[in-house]
């Protein structure tokens, strides 16, 4: 099915991520069906849709945690589909996973150190740690606290911070607002905008569509593994018919 396109501004940035005709299966069940999407350098791109739409499957495939049955994924002109997860991280894609997946018995500091596990640039690691603690002052206050004793919002900050410690060119966020109070949802998305302003391109998956569209430049809407719509995120959020039909408004 051809996706509905919303009138959009030109996407002039350099092409960073290029996903073409991606199909991903769990056994004989197709979770993603012929998805194509792009992310350009300097953008915030969001992939939205209801639970079970195939959003997280798409991110896990981009990150090398799942293998596509068909289709290709190119990152900065290099084919990465089928590569192992640690290879994808080394190339510059770091993911903050759904459910946070922090290490609860380790301290905030130790969790951040693990995010930089593949790096050897000591000065760069120190600079990125300072950046993370500036973005999330609560983590600085709890730097020696066991991560599992923190609130859900603080754990989400840690998950994002840990991904940033990999020094990604593309930061991939899977449901960063899940389970958070509205005030923390606003904080997380404001921080995503700041991360982009600091030079990191962002691909974010969200069920909270309107929150994601508020900060995104470009949006893709998935439904049952099929791309239903794509276009300018702000215009999509302002279209009442689209909101009612696709975004739960």
């Amino acid at each position: 099915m051809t996706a509905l396109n919303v009138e959009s501004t030109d996407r002039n940035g350099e092409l960073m991520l290029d996903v073409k005709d991606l199909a991903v299966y769990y056994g004989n069940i197709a979770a993603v069906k012929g998805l194509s999407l792009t992310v350009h350098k300097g953008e915030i791109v969001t992939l939205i849709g209801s639970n079970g739409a195939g959003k997280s499957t798409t991110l896990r495939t981009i990150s090398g945690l799942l293998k596509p049955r068909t289709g290709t994924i190119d990152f900065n002109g290099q084919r990465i589909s089928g590569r192992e997860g640690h290879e994808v991280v080394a190339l510059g894609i770091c993911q903050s996973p759904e459910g946070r997946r922090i290490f609860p018995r380790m301290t905030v500091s130790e969790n951040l150190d693990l995010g930089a596990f593949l790096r050897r640039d000591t000065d760069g690691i120190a600079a990125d740690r300072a950046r993370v603690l500036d973005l999330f002052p609560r983590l600085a206050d709890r730097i020696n606290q066991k991560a599992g004793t923190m609130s859900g919002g603080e754990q989400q900050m840690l998950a994002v911070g840990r991904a940033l410690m990999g020094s990604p060119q593309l930061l991939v966020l899977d449901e960063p607002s899940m389970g958070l109070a509205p005030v923390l949802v606003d904080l997380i998305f404001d921080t995503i905008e700041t991360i982009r302003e600091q030079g990191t391109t962002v691909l974010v998956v969200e069920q909270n569509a309107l929150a994601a569209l508020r900060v995104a430049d470009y949006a893709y809407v998935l439904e049952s593994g099929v791309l239903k719509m794509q276009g300018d995120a702000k215009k999509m959020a302002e279209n009442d018919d689209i909101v009612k039909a696709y975004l739960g408004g």
Side-chain angles (χ1 to χ4, degrees), residues 134-205:
D134 183 60
L135 283 168
F136 301 113
R138 295 192 197 185
L139 297 184
D141 295 338
R142 292 157 174 74
I143 195 69
N144 294 313
Q145 185 172 329
K146 299 289 185 185
T149 65
M150 299 196 303
S151 70
E154 290 163 349
Q155 290 183 19
Q156 185 61 64
M157 296 174 196
L158 179 57
V160 175
R162 182 181 60 189
L164 286 171
M165 288 300 297
S167 190
Q169 297 177 57
L170 177 62
L171 176 65
V172 177
L173 304 175
D174 194 351
E175 302 285 6
S177 75
M178 180 181 288
L180 301 185
V183 64
L184 289 177
V185 172
D186 290 341
L187 174 61
I188 289 293
F189 280 100
D190 287 345
T191 304
I192 290 171
E193 288 188 289
T194 301
I195 290 169
R196 187 264 295 277
E197 290 166 3
Q198 293 178 348
T200 303
T201 304
V202 181
L203 172 61
V204 57
V205 149

Side-chain angles (χ1 to χ4, degrees), residues 116-137:
F117 181 76
L118 294 179
R119 299 176 63 182
R120 298 294 180 266
D121 56 324
T122 303
D123 291 344
I125 292 171
D128 281 335
R129 175 182 279 256
R131 174 194 181 193
V132 167
L133 298 181
D134 183 60
L135 283 168
F136 301 113

